[in-house]
Amino acid sequence: MKLLYSNILPLGIEDAQQTIIDCFTEQMSQADRVEIAVGYISTASVNELANMVEKYGIKSICLTIGMYYIEGMPEGSYHTALKLNQKWRDVGIGEIRLVKPFKYHGKLYCFYKNEKPFAAIIGSANLGVIKLEAANRRQYEISALTTDTTEVSAIAEHIEKLKQPLCSANIADISGMPLIREINTALNGIELVTSVPQSNVAFYEQCEASVSFFLQLKVPKADERFLDDGKHFTKSNINVCYAAPRSKRKARDWYETQLTVGSEIYHMDGYPEKNKPFFVVTDDGYWFKAHTTSDNNKQFSAVGDELIMGRWLKGRLAAAGIVKPVNNTAEDRNREGMITQEMLDEYGCDRLLFKKTGQTALDSNGEALDVWFLAFIGNADEAK
């Protein structure tokens, strides 16, 4: 057995000592199959594992995760793992599994060559150790490497038992997975937007609606994102950032969004009057002023900053690991940042709940404005 360490001062690595990540990388470079069973992961560590699998030509890989089915899984990690699982299944090299009947807190890494396990790492380190972030950079771990045939075989056998259907299932086959919403940081520090406590959100959410509407998000399907015939929403609504830039020198901001409301909604009694401001409180705790504009008051937007609504809406999808913000939409030739129907399906919602709470609040001028509750969460099918 060889002890492995974190390298954190004042307990830094000494001569002849090896870090956990260096040992893990060394074993990966020698293996053609890897079996991992851990309690927790992170989005960054899953992406790093995917890169290492490709770099070292791993032919078979299984990642079993032990704590989330009962505790709930961060949505960013969940969607990242779901995509990687599909990729591994498509190319036939492996899968990602979740333990179901109990909380599994072990941390095991087993390495194979030519169908035989030759080394294993056991200790306190979850998968996040292979890609340090702010959250775990100062978290000290201790593990051990064993190459003893008996010990390695026992660890390999244990992981195989954990992969049996009585203990775990493929992540894509699990329904009702409890997800923990990630914090949308795209609105942090944005002028005209304030955060409100969850107790306030809960109050407005529970208010009986005087009127409420479902606002459909109109987006193209993935295979339609290059069709610019005006029928597939590739340059309108929440993808307006892909329309022609207002300036030849500057592309539209990825967060630029238009919420265009259908006539079946804006003609309904109780829908906000054109250019009459109101307050919005969102289901994730943001507060800002909004209004309806344009012909037939069909445009729904924040007051004073056309990016606020996009930062709220697209920021949620980005926080969930479904899409990555694009720095320059003019250079996004593959339109990977375009919001598609498949992305909304993955998120589980393709419309917004817009509810008048019956409450009012004073703006900076002392005027009492209606308060509306705006939610982007839940199953789209349930809203139909």
Side-chain angles (χ1 to χ4, degrees), residues 41-48 74-78 80 133 182 319 321:
I41 63 167
S42 66
T43 298
S45 65
V46 170
N47 287 329
E48 181 67 12
E75 59 180 351
S77 296
Y78 172 75
T80 300
E133 300 177 277
E182 303 276 10

Side-chain angles (χ1 to χ4, degrees), residues 92-245:
I93 67 169
E95 62 175 337
I96 296 177
R97 302 180 68 83
L98 296 182
V99 176
K100 295 183 65 178
F102 49 79
K103 294 196 291 185
Y104 182 81
H105 203 242
K107 294 93 177 175
L108 301 172
Y109 305 82
C110 193
F111 306 91
Y112 290 70
K113 187 70 173 181
N114 298 326
E115 297 300 321
K116 294 182 179 181
F118 65 86
I121 296 174
I122 183 171
S124 69
N126 281 299
L127 191 67
V129 76
I130 72 171
K131 188 66 175 180
L132 297 181
E133 300 177 277
N136 67 340
R137 187 166 295 278
R138 295 292 296 173
Q139 181 170 303
Y140 198 97
E141 307 289 357
I142 192 81
S143 294
L145 170 71
T146 179
T147 55
D148 179 87
T149 303
T150 301
E151 292 175 350
V152 172
S153 295
I155 291 172
E157 182 179 353
H158 174 79
I159 295 177
E160 287 303 309
K161 289 180 179 178
L162 199 61
K163 290 166 59 179
Q164 296 302 307
L166 285 175
C167 288
S168 64
N170 185 275
I171 188 172
D173 298 332
I174 294 177
S175 60
M177 180 67 195
L179 297 181
I180 300 170
R181 186 186 306 160
E182 303 276 10
I183 297 175
N184 174 17
T185 59
L187 282 171
N188 287 359
I190 299 300
E191 191 177 2
L192 305 178
V193 179
T194 57
S195 297
V196 297
Q198 281 302 309
S199 57
N200 290 32
V201 174
F203 168 77
Y204 289 112
E205 184 175 14
Q206 293 166 12
C207 285
E208 184 175 353
S210 53
V211 291
S212 64
F213 310 94
F214 282 112
L215 308 182
Q216 180 75 44
L217 299 176
K218 300 175 181 179
V219 296
K221 294 180 179 179
D223 59 2
E224 297 173 339
R225 67 186 188 276
F226 297 104
L227 301 177
D228 297 330
D229 55 8
K231 299 179 181 179
H232 297 88
F233 312 109
T234 56
K235 294 182 177 180
S236 63
N237 298 293
I238 64 176
N239 289 312
V240 70
C241 58
Y242 288 92

